């Protein structure tokens, strides 16, 4: 069975590793850029996806470049705590939650793909630009080698579109869809080396109904009393004259162009403006997603990760769900006799779940507690219990985890997605 994967991002690389581990021997990853560089900023990988990376024997290596997240706290714009919950092992999971720079995670995955599948498993300067179904059930794939100035065609039993929010594979399946819809918010993201805050393993989200700041460390201190690599993201409604013709995740921006919007988010336990002011890198992009699709799979072609279900960055579900997609897809392909029914089975399991999560992200997911706190107590509070009576806060958090199937009980007790040995060797 030969599989082509469009895109060497988190989802595409995890798919390649999962297929190899499941005994699918002929796997190639086609990546549009000429050289894979450690770009991007921070990601949080939830325990349900960390479990999958652990079952691929990657956890020890990832712990060298990532930080286990200990807690998540929601704060109002005055820096008052609304709700804090333990994360990862502290919350009862058998696996940690990991905060990691996207580039470091991608590098670990890419290096492992080349080591396990061979140095030619990832083909760079190879952008999938179209495909044609074959009568034998496979697919002919057209590839553009931009830097080399040429085009080629290759054949596979199945094509996996893991080529991101601007997926060409998706565009071929849905040519009338158009660009990702924008909700009017702008996000600025960056990284900074700074002293740890709180206990050094805390992720925080602070703000009101107009502005939001997310901050978390991605490394331990670089020595006694040293600094950590910090990820930060701030968001607000765009100015009326703002125009974004393309959602480019790597559009660099100077911190002083937006710092003033968040100048008052300085608390005695964390100075958000100082993080922005001293950033080592900063990027701007519009907050966009994709509308849910009625189907991802068309014969021997399917979508995965952001190409299938790009969503707002609420609840740490982007890379997390791409990793789970990859594992489910690999299981179905390894256990099935033919790619077409296997891809359909993958879609049947994953599409309903992701459609629900996409909808929840548009409602701000668990971050809605910050909106509610501002609505009910815009000037702050002395007792959060008077603002959120009973177990309302815990219920909001638990419902979001239950919705996506990543509550501790489900993650700890569900069957492994690792393909049993009866699937045989490489196919």
């Amino acid at each position: 069975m030969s599989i082509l994967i469009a895109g060497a991002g988190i989802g595409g690389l995890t798919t390649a590793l999962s297929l190899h581990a499941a005994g699918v021997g002929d796997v190639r990853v086609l990546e549009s850029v000429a050289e894979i560089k450690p770009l991007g900023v921070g990601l949080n990988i939830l325990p349900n996806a960390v479990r999958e990376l652990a079952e691929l024997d990657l956890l020890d290596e990832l712990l060298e470049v990532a930080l286990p997240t200990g807690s998540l706290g929601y704060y109002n714009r005055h820096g008052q705590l609304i709700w804090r919950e333990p994360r990862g092992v502290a919350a009862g999971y058998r696996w940690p939650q990991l905060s990691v720079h996207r580039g470091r995670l991608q590098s670990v995955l890419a290096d492992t793909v080349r080591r396990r599948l061979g140095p030619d498993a990832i083909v760079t300067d190879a952008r999938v630009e179209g495909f044609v179904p074959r009568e034998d059930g496979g697919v002919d794939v057209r590839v553009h080698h931009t830097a080399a100035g040429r085009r080629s065609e290759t054949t596979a039993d199945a094509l996996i579109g893991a080529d991101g929010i601007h997926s060409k594979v998706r565009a071929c399946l849905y040519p009338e869809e158009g660009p990702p819809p924008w909700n009017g918010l702008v996000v600025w993201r960056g990284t900074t080396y700074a002293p740890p805050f709180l206990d050094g393993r805390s992720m925080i989200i602070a703000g009101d109904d107009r502005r939001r700041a997310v901050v978390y460390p991605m490394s331990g201190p670089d020595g006694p009393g040293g600094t950590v690599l910090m990820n930060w993201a701030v968001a607000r409604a765009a100015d009326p004259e703002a125009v974004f013709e393309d959602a480019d995740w790597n559009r660099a921006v100077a911190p002083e162009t937006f710092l003033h919007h968040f100048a008052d988010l300085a608390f005695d336990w964390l100075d958000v403006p100082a993080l922005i002011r001293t950033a080592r890198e900063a990027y701007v992009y519009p907050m966009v997603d994709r509308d849910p699709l009625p189907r991802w799979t068309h014969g021997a072609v399917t979508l995965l990760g952001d190409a299938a279900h790009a969503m707002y960055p609420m609840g740490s579900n982007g890379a997390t769900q791409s990793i789970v997609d990859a594992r489910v897809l690999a299981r179905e392909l390894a256990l099935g006799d033919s790619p077409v029914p296997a891809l359909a089975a993958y879609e049947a399991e994953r599409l309903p779940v992701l459609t629900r999560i996409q909808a929840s992200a548009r409602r701000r997911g668990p971050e809605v507690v910050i909106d509610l706190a501002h609505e009910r107590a815009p000037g702050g509070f002395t007792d959060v219990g008077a603002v959120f009576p009973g177990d309302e806060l815990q219920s909001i958090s638990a419902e979001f985890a239950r919705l996506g199937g990543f509550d501790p009980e489900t993650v700890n007790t569900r069957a492994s997605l690792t393909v049993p040995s009866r699937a045989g060797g490489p196919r």
Side-chain angles (χ1 to χ4, degrees):
M1 184 186 298
S2 60
I3 308 296
L4 282 179
I5 301 168
I10 306 306
L13 293 170
T14 306
T15 302
L17 291 171
S18 299
L19 287 167
H20 175 264
V24 179
D26 187 355
V27 179
R28 281 178 295 159
V29 183
L30 306 182
E31 170 54 46
S32 61
V33 301
E35 180 183 359
I36 298 176
K37 299 178 180 179
L39 301 176
V41 286
L43 296 173
N44 255 266
I45 310 298
L46 298 180
N48 57 322
V50 175
R51 172 181 177 175
E52 301 310 323
L53 297 174
E55 293 192 5
L56 288 170
D57 197 25
L58 291 169
L59 183 54
D60 288 345
E61 190 170 357
L62 288 174
L63 287 172
E64 295 179 3
V65 299
L67 183 74
T69 308
S71 66
L72 169 61
Y74 298 94
Y75 295 79
N76 65 10
R77 67 183 181 88
H78 307 289
Q80 296 174 308
L81 179 64
I82 302 168
W83 169 251
R84 178 185 291 122
E85 61 187 26
R87 305 295 278 188
V89 175
Y93 292 95
R94 292 172 54 197
W95 297 271
Q97 175 173 324
L98 295 180
S99 297
V100 62
H101 191 284
R102 182 191 181 279
R104 292 180 175 181
L105 173 58
Q106 186 183 25
S107 293
V108 168
L109 295 175
D111 291 346
T112 307
V113 167
R114 293 186 175 110
R115 188 167 61 248
R116 295 181 184 178
L117 280 71
D120 299 324
I122 302 174
V123 183
T124 57
D125 187 29
R127 181 188 299 276
V128 172
E129 63 175 18
F131 53 85
V132 178
R134 294 171 56 91
E135 291 184 3
D136 62 7
V139 59
D140 290 327
V141 181
R142 298 190 303 276
V143 182
H144 186 197
H145 308 274
T146 307
R150 64 182 181 88
R151 286 177 165 81
S152 65
E153 187 171 289
T154 187
T155 299
D157 293 317
L159 171 64
I160 313 303
D163 46 345
I165 195 170
H166 298 296
S167 169
K168 183 62 176 179
V169 178
R170 177 172 175 140
C172 290
L173 296 173
Y174 295 92
E176 304 300 321
E177 184 176 34
W182 178 30
N183 70 356
L185 297 178
V186 181
V187 180
W188 295 268
R189 299 189 68 172
T191 61
T192 303
Y193 279 102
F197 68 95
L198 297 178
D199 66 356
R201 296 197 302 122
S202 296
M203 176 181 181
I204 69 96
I205 307 176
D208 53 29
D209 62 338
R210 299 179 300 107
R211 300 167 305 155
R212 200 67 42 98
V214 181
V215 182
Y216 53 84
M218 298 180 288
S219 72
D222 52 12
T227 59
V228 303
L229 181 59
M230 204 84 73
N231 179 85
W232 52 264
V234 289
R236 69 180 290 270
D239 294 329
E241 68 276 8
V243 176
F244 287 91
E245 297 180 353
D246 181 39
D248 180 358
W249 309 130
N250 297 307
R251 181 182 297 166
V253 63
E256 57 267 21
T257 62
F258 63 92
L259 176 60
H260 58 285
H261 295 305
F262 308 96
D264 63 331
L265 296 183
F267 315 124
D268 57 7
W269 48 272
L270 177 65
D271 190 337
V272 175
L275 289 179
I276 298 172
R277 191 178 303 112
T278 57
R280 61 195 287 268
E281 56 188 346
Y283 306 97
V284 59
Y285 64 88
M287 190 178 288
V288 297
D289 66 355
R290 282 291 190 185
D291 292 328
L293 292 174
R295 56 188 292 204
W296 301 342
T297 301
H298 298 251
V301 179
T302 197
L303 302 172
L304 181 145
D306 279 357
H309 48 70
M311 65 188 81
Y312 299 150
M314 308 287 181
S316 304
N317 265 292
T320 290
Q321 296 300 336
S322 297
I323 291 167
V324 180
D325 283 353
R327 296 283 286 162
V328 172
L329 177 59
R331 180 196 64 191
E332 296 301 327
L333 282 169
L335 295 178
D337 295 325
S338 169
V340 173
L343 299 187
Y346 150 74
E347 177 187 295
E349 179 170 337
R350 295 295 291 156
L351 187 147
V353 175
L354 270 300
T355 298
R356 293 195 297 269
I357 295 176
Q358 281 181 287
S360 179
R362 286 184 170 181
R363 299 191 299 269
R364 293 188 184 267
E367 292 183 30
V368 72
V369 300
I370 294 177
D371 296 330
L372 294 174
H374 180 77
E375 175 186 321
R376 298 173 185 178
F381 49 78
T382 55
D383 177 12
V384 70
V387 182
F388 293 91
D391 63 354
E392 183 180 7
L393 288 167
Q394 183 173 355
S395 296
I396 291 172
S397 175
E399 174 61 18
F400 185 70
R402 185 202 62 77
L403 183 74
F406 46 85
D407 57 282
E409 182 178 4
T410 299
V411 174
N412 290 344
T413 62
R414 68 160 172 78
S416 172
L417 295 176
T418 297
V419 176
S421 58
R422 65 183 175 82
R427 302 162 62 183

